[in-house]
Amino acid sequence: MFNFPQVRNLMRFAGRAIEIGDRMARDTSAAAISLKHIEAYDAIAATGSTIAASVELGISQSNASRLLQQLEDYLGVRLFDREKNRLQPTREGLQLGPEIRAISDWLRALKTAAMELESGRSREIMLRLAFPSSLSSTRIPKLVKNFLAANGPMRVEVASASYLAIERMVADGEADLGFARLPLMSPGLKQEKILSSRIICALHNDHPNAGSRQLSVGDLKGQDLIMLNRERPVRHELEALFYKAGIRQRPLLEAHSVASACALAAQGLGIALVGEIIAREYATLPLQFIPLEPELPVAYALISGEKFPMPKAASLFLQSISDWA
């Protein structure tokens, strides 16, 4: 599901070390060679002493000397000579040293990369988020900024789509986390975090009803209304409220996003009936947000795919936005 080019590159170089183990499996006359032997050689070459190397590695001097001897026995060459109480590389050691050291460096890098992947804090992992455009251009950049500040640099992709498209992206493994309206329309999804909201009225500051504490369905009779398109379940719920109140009224304007509905209302074109949790992201517009009576609850959820294990980065992202709504 993920693309890890750097890890694959590390694996190729680390293969040099794996070859040592493979060769030792066929050579029963020598002790098994492991990463410890490579580390012992690297420490001795850097310090010029088995004593200093043993301190660096946290092992005894005799153990450091034994590891070096086993590596030399396996390679069939002497890697160091003692000169003036210091171990100096032999001619063979000088030739093989860079290759042995490269194996050591790449194995360390491989271990670091593996730890970053396990912790979810690797640049090689793409955290893929899918949100409606009304949030991907407002709330999400702030959440991503806080997430990266708390968890270190990593790659993040933010896709914008309709609720149904987001559900399909998450169910198909094209996004790790998505934002959808409940109830969900697609199978194969898990609700990771539920966000409760309600429908409110968004209207221009100069609208005659801007000072109202709440607006009833009856108060909206004869008003120019801005509603979300008929593909939204909330549209049908609103029409049911109007029908119950004996009001037969078509909206003046239809919008395909909360952002668009709020922008239209900010131009004084009518009263927008929108979900509060998203509409509040547009509080900088010249708008008043007034509760609708009776209250019409709306619920959203952050969702993940049932068929795909949640990446660590996605879990960290969920933790970082625990205070949202």
Side-chain angles (χ1 to χ4, degrees), residues 202-210 265-271 286-288:
L203 55 160
H204 193 277
N205 290 336
D206 295 333
H207 193 282
N209 296 103
Q267 293 299 316
L269 296 175
I271 300 175
L287 293 172
Q288 294 294 316

Side-chain angles (χ1 to χ4, degrees), residues 126-166:
M126 172 81 77
L127 172 59
R128 301 165 303 166
L129 307 174
F131 283 80
S133 59
S134 296
L135 286 173
S136 62
S137 60
T138 54
R139 170 67 57 172
I140 302 310
K142 302 171 188 175
L143 296 180
V144 170
K145 180 180 179 180
N146 294 337
F147 167 66
L148 294 178
N151 293 280
M154 65 182 72
R155 300 166 63 206
V156 179
E157 176 186 70
V158 180
S160 298
S162 66
Y163 290 126
L164 184 57
I166 289 173

